[in-house]
């Protein structure tokens, strides 16, 4: 089986780093980081969701750099790439950015490097990676405010909310709530999404149950635990096809007793669409709904 999608891997790593940062004590927040009204012509975005938001706000041409896991929209392939987990000060300075949008976990990972860039006149903004639709809208507002695109950000929020409302309204009224298992990684270990994750919030939006909502965050789970949960639906977000996922499950001992496998309700969805808290989330929610209520 293919290895988990690189974006999902980064997401899990960032969540763990952020948790470590919270345990050790966050650095003081910059009170003015969202209040700068100037325009920015050379932006580096170190998270794919932030990049997609910038494009949606009409700032694609202002982006000079993205992370190594950015792949949407297709224009990002022409941008300079930076490893968000191993930032190099010289490479960043060479790109001559005037604004860098970083993930909040990078305060602990690359804070020293980014702080030295501030001394060179580069605006550094740490953006929280939303773990719910509500937090995602706050991200839209934050980036819109920083870049002077507040009106466009508010319009994007309004449009996204309406699209999500329509998806939720399309859920069959008489459908029984289903227990859903989300597989975000299978090699070398199986990982899933518990409560306080974006996936969990999306399942709640669709009036269905996350099989592992008793756990918090991105968690490693055993095959025995999955069998015991006996989900009605099993969904892969790893960038493989439904057939590939079904074949993988066929080779796992005991999985033939799971309802989802017995009733052929094994699905695969685009992991990027449903893991990135950005402008495509309404499409991701629709795909997830269609996978659950097929």
């Amino acid at each position: 089986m293919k290895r988990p999608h690189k974006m999902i891997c980064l997401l899990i790593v960032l969540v763990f780093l952020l948790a470590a940062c919270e345990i050790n004590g966050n650095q003081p927040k910059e009170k003015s980081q969202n209040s700068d009204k100037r325009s920015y012509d050379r932006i580096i975005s170190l998270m794919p969701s932030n990049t997609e938001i910038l494009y949606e706000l009409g700032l694609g041409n202002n982006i000079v750099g993205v992370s190594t896991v950015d792949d949407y929209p297709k224009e990002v392939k022409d941008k300079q790439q930076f490893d968000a987990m191993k930032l190099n000060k010289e490479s960043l300075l060479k790109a001559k950015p005037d604004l860098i949008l970083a993930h909040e976990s990078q305060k602990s990972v690359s804070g020293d490097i980014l702080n030295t860039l501030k001394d060179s006149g580069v605006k550094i903004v740490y953006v929280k990676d939303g773990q719910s639709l509500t937090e995602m809208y706050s991200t839209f507002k934050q980036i819109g405010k920083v870049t002077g695109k507040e009106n466009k950000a508010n319009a994007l929020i309004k449009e996204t909310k309406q699209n999500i409302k329509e998806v939720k309204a399309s859920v069959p009224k008489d459908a029984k709530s289903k227990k859903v298992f989300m597989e975000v990684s299978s090699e070398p270990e199986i990982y899933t999404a518990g409560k306080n994750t974006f996936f969990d919030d999306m399942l709640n939006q669709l009036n269905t149950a996350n099989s592992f909502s008793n756990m918090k965050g991105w968690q490693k789970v055993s095959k025995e635990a999955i069998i015991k949960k006996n989900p009605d639906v099993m969904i892969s977000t790893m960038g493989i096809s439904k057939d590939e996922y079904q074949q993988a499950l066929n080779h796992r001992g005991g999985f033939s007793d799971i309802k989802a496998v017995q009733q052929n309700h094994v699905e695969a969805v685009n992991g990027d669409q449903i893991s990135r808290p950005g402008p495509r989330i309404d499409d991701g929610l629709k795909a997830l709904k269609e996978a659950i209520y097929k």
Side-chain angles (χ1 to χ4, degrees):
M1 173 174 286
K2 295 181 181 179
R3 292 195 174 276
H5 197 282
K6 58 185 179 180
M7 179 57 204
I8 298 294
C9 290
L10 176 62
L11 185 62
I12 294 173
V13 170
L14 289 175
V15 169
F16 282 132
L17 287 172
L18 182 57
C21 179
E22 291 174 346
I23 291 173
N24 294 324
N26 284 326
Q27 296 178 21
K29 292 183 178 179
E30 299 174 60
K31 294 182 180 180
S32 63
Q33 75 170 11
N34 295 331
S35 60
D36 193 342
K37 293 290 185 178
R38 60 170 288 193
S39 60
Y40 296 95
D41 300 315
R42 299 186 64 80
I43 304 172
I44 291 177
S45 172
L46 298 175
M47 274 295 287
S49 54
N50 295 341
T51 302
E52 293 190 25
I53 293 170
L54 288 169
Y55 269 95
E56 199 67 23
L57 296 181
L59 294 168
N61 290 335
N62 300 60
I63 298 174
V64 297
V66 296
S67 75
T68 52
V69 295
D70 270 273
D71 57 12
Y72 188 90
K74 61 182 180 181
E75 288 81 7
V76 298
K77 71 179 187 301
D78 298 321
K79 307 293 184 179
Q80 184 175 351
Q81 293 189 341
F82 298 90
D83 187 339
M85 306 311 299
K86 295 180 182 179
L87 293 178
N88 180 278
K89 178 183 176 181
E90 288 70 29
S91 296
L92 289 169
L93 284 174
K94 192 174 181 180
K96 299 180 180 179
D98 49 18
L99 171 65
I100 294 179
L101 294 183
H103 187 273
E104 60 178 342
S105 68
Q106 290 174 307
K107 288 182 180 180
S108 60
V109 179
S110 306
D112 291 343
I113 292 176
L114 293 173
N115 283 335
T116 60
L117 293 177
K118 283 198 302 183
D119 296 337
S120 301
V122 182
K123 178 77 171 180
I124 308 296
V125 175
Y126 295 101
V127 181
K128 182 175 182 179
D129 189 27
Q131 295 303 317
S132 68
L133 292 176
T134 299
E135 290 183 358
M136 178 188 73
Y137 298 138
S138 296
T139 298
F140 290 0
K141 286 185 177 181
Q142 180 184 11
I143 295 177
K145 188 172 184 178
V146 168
T147 58
K149 298 290 185 178
E150 292 176 271
N151 290 338
K152 284 193 174 184
N154 289 331
L156 176 59
I157 292 171
K158 183 177 180 180
E159 178 185 1
T160 304
K161 284 185 175 180
Q162 179 58 35
N163 291 343
I164 288 175
K165 181 179 179 180
E166 292 174 3
V167 173
K168 292 170 64 175
S170 69
V171 173
K173 296 296 186 291
D174 57 348
K176 291 179 60 177
S177 179
K178 298 175 183 291
K179 292 189 300 181
V180 181
F181 171 68
M182 303 287 289
E183 186 161 333
V184 301
S185 170
S186 64
E187 294 182 1
E189 298 167 318
I190 300 174
Y191 272 82
T192 192
K195 63 182 178 181
N196 296 341
T197 65
F198 208 67
F199 285 1
D200 184 69
D201 185 52
M202 293 180 75
L203 292 175
N204 288 332
Q205 298 290 332
L206 296 173
N207 297 324
T208 193
N210 180 358
S211 291
F212 284 91
S213 61
N214 61 308
M215 304 172 75
K216 184 178 180 180
W218 306 93
Q219 293 286 345
K220 177 175 65 177
V221 292
S222 67
K223 295 176 183 178
E224 292 74 20
I226 300 170
I227 294 171
K228 187 175 181 180
K229 291 290 185 181
N230 196 23
D232 301 300
V233 187
M234 299 184 70
I235 299 177
S236 166
T237 67
M238 300 176 291
I240 61 176
S241 69
K242 174 181 176 179
D243 288 341
E244 287 175 309
Y245 188 40
Q246 179 70 69
Q247 290 174 17
L249 296 180
N250 290 341
H251 288 89
R252 293 180 185 173
F255 273 54
S256 59
D257 294 328
I258 296 177
K259 289 180 184 177
V261 177
Q262 291 179 341
Q263 298 173 5
N264 193 31
H265 206 157
V266 174
E267 306 292 334
V269 297
N270 184 325
D272 286 343
Q273 281 188 334
I274 66 171
S275 67
R276 295 179 184 177
R280 292 189 292 161
I281 202 61
D282 46 5
D283 291 330
L285 190 66
K286 181 179 179 181
L288 190 59
K289 186 269 295 186
E290 291 175 348
I292 295 170
Y293 299 103
K294 66 175 185 177

